[in-house]
Amino acid sequence: MNIAAIIAAALVALTLVLMLATRIGVFVIERRYPPQGQFATVNDTRMHFVRKPAGDGADLPPIVFLHGASGNLHDAMTIYADRLAGRADLVFVDRPGHGWSERGPAENAWPDGQARTLAALLDELGIERAIIVGHSFGGAVTVSFALHHPDRTVGTVFLAPVSHPWPGGVSWYYTLTSVPVIGWLFSETLAMPGAMMRIDAGTACVFAPNRPTERYAERIHLPLLFRPTHFRSNAIDVANLHDYVTETAPLYDRIETPSVIITGDKDTIVLPSIHSVGLARDLPNAELVRVHNLGHKPDHVVPELVTAALEQVAGQARDLQALARQAEARLAGDAHGPIERCLDSEVIRKEVEAAGFRID
């Protein structure tokens, strides 16, 4: 046997070993983090969700929480299930292809399809109108819901949302994973061990400069993301996002329902000056709430401000700007996370520096 054949055989053997290790990893992950909610098949999609019914003294309309990329319903549920208990009919959703929800039809690879599937789920649950809350990528689905289902939308709350075309691309592993065949092979072999090694660093980047929620990855069942089919769904979502917001952003001025946009000026994941500022500019009935020294996780870091935003969208009087100043006082000393390694591009670097954050 020549050297080339030996190398080829070794590569095949290594690939098979990595695929087997990934299958074992899927088995372990799914038993450690089983589904904790209910299932309903709507729009040809088996959806997983957790519903917390309103109490007798409810003072808010139904609220639906949509997680961002690389997430699942536990991201919001760990914070708001208790905080809002009894005040509203709460629905925490695994978006199609995430958590324990199946991907469903091809349209679910785009925010409009996911919004249609969400509307079908609300029909199934008997919820006529709701406040839709979207974090990061979930913001794109939230704006699609408000745009295409205005009669179902009480209002929207956007948390560090993605909403507009941005300069540059996305991280290499999103692009690679979304490529047919090659992406499948990558997700079935290298993605899981690589992602496992980056849990702590990735969590720090998402929260920076704020301190991450204690045991964040464990509490939100983050390893569910590393299963190959869900890793690919996440990558395809992100790879499609730029084209989607480029086409959809010119339509935002048609959305008349009330909105609140909460963003931090130290977000190294999404550029606030493009997305949050652009969304506030384009939505006719929106309030932008900027918080100094806040990163990409307002849902976890300033939940009191998010709760007040929900109350305001529901029609209750709240001074969100005053609450933002109070949050800033609490966050003023935060300087956590490996900021230098969190900056994916020179564009984001310049944006963060322009906000007055020193990068050492």
Side-chain angles (χ1 to χ4, degrees):
M1 183 178 293
N2 59 36
I3 294 178
I6 293 173
I7 293 175
L11 288 174
V12 170
L14 177 60
T15 298
L16 292 175
V17 168
L18 290 171
M19 292 178 70
L20 176 60
T22 295
R23 288 298 106 196
I24 294 172
V26 170
F27 178 86
V28 172
I29 288 169
E30 291 190 340
R31 276 144 190 81
R32 184 169 183 175
Y33 306 106
Q36 296 187 355
Q38 301 169 265
F39 289 91
T41 299
V42 295
N43 193 29
D44 295 325
T45 309
R46 189 169 187 256
M47 292 288 290
H48 178 241
F49 63 95
V50 172
R51 185 178 190 178
K52 302 287 187 179
D56 293 337
D59 64 331
L60 296 171
I63 303 171
V64 178
F65 291 87
L66 300 176
H67 60 84
S70 307
N72 61 67
L73 63 82
H74 290 277
D75 207 351
M77 192 170 74
T78 58
I79 301 296
Y80 297 97
D82 290 338
R83 179 174 285 269
L84 295 172
R87 296 190 61 189
D89 193 354
L90 306 174
V91 182
F92 303 92
V93 180
D94 280 337
R95 292 190 291 104
H98 298 260
W100 282 97
S101 288
E102 295 180 355
R103 186 58 155 179
E107 70 170 6
N108 282 341
W110 299 87
D112 285 353
Q114 295 190 21
R116 278 191 288 272
T117 299
L118 175 61
L121 177 62
L122 296 186
D123 284 340
E124 181 74 13
L125 299 180
I127 297 176
E128 295 183 0
R129 301 176 72 238
I131 298 174
I132 312 298
V133 184
H135 171 248
S136 195
F137 184 100
V141 182
T142 297
V143 80
S144 174
F145 192 93
L147 180 63
H148 298 293
H149 307 277
D151 57 323
R152 314 295 303 275
T153 310
V154 174
T156 48
V157 175
F158 297 94
L159 309 174
V162 178
S163 58
H164 287 71
W166 64 91
V170 297
S171 296
W172 65 269
Y173 51 86
Y174 291 129
T175 304
L176 176 64
T177 307
S178 64
V179 174
V181 183
I182 294 175
W184 177 89
L185 184 62
F186 174 71
S187 66
E188 294 285 344
T189 55
L190 298 174
M192 182 177 289
M196 287 290 192
M197 290 188 293
R198 280 195 48 79
I199 285 181
D200 291 341
T203 298
C205 285
V206 170
F207 276 86
N210 312 119
R211 185 182 297 278
T213 298
E214 187 176 357
R215 298 176 55 251
Y216 174 75
E218 179 71 16
R219 291 177 65 188
I220 74 156
H221 301 191
L222 181 62
L224 288 172
L225 166 68
F226 308 148
R227 297 170 297 167
T229 55
H230 294 78
F231 194 86
R232 289 195 295 274
S233 293
N234 187 62
I236 292 169
D237 279 358
V238 175
N240 287 344
L241 187 54
H242 189 278
D243 288 346
Y244 174 78
V245 295
T246 299
E247 179 180 347
T248 307
L251 307 179
Y252 292 166
D253 61 1
R254 301 179 185 178
I255 298 173
E256 298 179 354
T257 46
S259 299
V260 172
I261 306 149
I262 300 176
T263 189
D265 67 350
K266 303 298 175 59
D267 191 338
T268 62
I269 308 299
V270 172
L271 292 172
S273 66
I274 292 176
H275 301 280
S276 293
V277 172
L279 201 55
R281 177 195 64 228
D282 295 342
L283 293 178
N285 189 11
E287 179 176 356
L288 175 63
V289 183
R290 302 192 208 193
V291 182
H292 180 61
N293 213 41
L294 173 66
H296 189 59
K297 292 294 288 178
D299 50 341
H300 277 243
V301 177
V302 288
E304 72 285 355
L305 184 56
V306 175
T307 300
L310 291 167
E311 293 166 346
Q312 176 167 301
V313 168
Q316 301 178 20
R318 295 292 180 269
D319 188 342
L320 300 182
Q321 303 303 327
L323 289 172
R325 304 294 80 78
Q326 294 174 19
E328 287 176 345
R330 175 170 57 85
L331 303 176
D334 283 6
H336 303 283
I339 298 299
E340 175 67 24
R341 286 174 287 171
C342 298
L343 305 175
D344 283 343
S345 72
E346 188 64 21
V347 173
I348 294 179
R349 175 187 297 275
K350 290 179 178 178
E351 180 75 14
V352 174
E353 290 177 336
F357 193 53
R358 180 181 175 184
I359 301 171
D360 296 318

